[in-house]
Amino acid sequence: MLATTVRRWPVGVGGTGLPERGGVPPDKLSGMADSSFDVVSKVDKMEAENALNQAAKEIEQRYDFKGVGASVAFSGEDVLIKASTEERALAVLDVLQTKAIKRGISLKSLDAGDPYPSGKEFRIEVTFKNGIEQDIAKKIGAVIRAEAPKTVKSQVQGDELRVSSKSRDDLQQTIQLLKGQEFDVPLQFINFR
């Protein structure tokens, strides 16, 4: 039987188990990298489909929607609501919004148009908004520059915003700051690293 020996490094800086090199802790060897997170505004497609399916099921079963041609369904990426009267179309929209809230989708993510007549029925087109528009991204960046800790920097990347800093604590403060602000879109904070 072969005896194997396991070489254990002496406990180094911060209890990492990694040795010090020349008196420099391992995380300082390559310089500290910036930490960052992304600010996005996205709707989970599965949750949107679930909300739509639940709304369609409720519309089929409710007595007040019988005989009024009420329906709600995807039309490409958008949702199309149909009913025989404007009031019933708005009632279908209300059912969809209620189901969306129950599925964790913010009403800020729903962009519903006005009811318009189409033949013998009224229609409403609803869009699920994804991404942060440039003007809103600029507002978020202005809030970060004005109120966040000075080490925090932001950069618009397409329909997202990348926020970075050397201090993870400053990034946590920035997330709390943005959660306390009111913007036209719901914000999610992802890729914290």
Side-chain angles (χ1 to χ4, degrees):
M1 188 184 244
L2 215 65
T4 59
T5 58
V6 176
R7 178 154 190 225
R8 299 193 186 271
W9 291 100
V11 175
V13 175
T16 61
L18 298 173
E20 293 182 28
R21 296 199 181 149
V24 179
D27 61 341
K28 302 287 186 198
L29 285 175
S30 61
M32 262 181 84
D34 282 357
S35 297
S36 66
F37 66 87
D38 294 328
V39 181
V40 298
S41 180
K42 295 185 178 181
V43 175
D44 183 353
K45 190 155 177 69
M46 288 302 298
E47 291 299 334
E49 287 179 16
N50 288 338
L52 182 77
N53 291 337
Q54 288 176 350
K57 187 174 183 180
E58 182 173 325
I59 290 163
E60 284 178 18
Q61 295 174 348
R62 279 183 38 182
Y63 180 76
D64 57 334
F65 287 119
K66 298 286 185 207
V68 295
S71 68
V72 58
F74 272 113
S75 171
E77 290 292 313
D78 298 336
V79 174
L80 184 61
I81 294 174
K82 299 178 187 177
S84 61
T85 65
E86 184 176 351
E87 293 78 25
R88 289 293 90 199
L90 290 170
V92 172
L93 175 62
D94 184 54
V95 170
L96 177 63
Q97 289 173 336
T98 302
K99 298 302 179 184
I101 290 170
K102 287 184 179 179
R103 302 299 306 181
I105 299 171
S106 171
L107 289 183
K108 292 178 184 179
S109 297
L110 294 176
D111 187 17
D114 293 327
Y116 63 92
S118 176
K120 293 184 177 182
E121 63 187 9
F122 281 83
R123 295 181 176 194
I124 300 175
E125 293 178 359
V126 181
T127 305
F128 288 100
K129 294 190 278 187
N130 278 309
I132 301 173
E133 295 175 5
Q134 290 293 323
D135 59 331
I136 296 173
K138 288 178 182 177
K139 287 180 188 175
I140 295 169
V143 167
I144 290 172
R145 281 190 302 282
E147 300 180 34
K150 297 300 175 201
T151 62
V152 177
K153 305 288 182 234
S154 66
Q155 178 181 6
V156 177
Q157 295 182 335
D159 61 354
E160 300 180 351
L161 200 70
R162 169 72 47 94
V163 181
S164 60
S165 174
K166 292 198 181 295
S167 168
R168 292 175 70 87
D169 291 338
D170 288 352
L171 291 178
Q172 291 285 357
Q173 277 183 288
T174 304
I175 289 173
Q176 293 307 315
L177 169 71
L178 293 176
K179 283 182 179 180
Q181 299 289 319
E182 194 62 36
F183 297 104
D184 292 339
V185 294
L187 300 179
Q188 294 96 31
F189 307 98
I190 61 171
N191 299 333
F192 193 95
R193 54 183 171 269

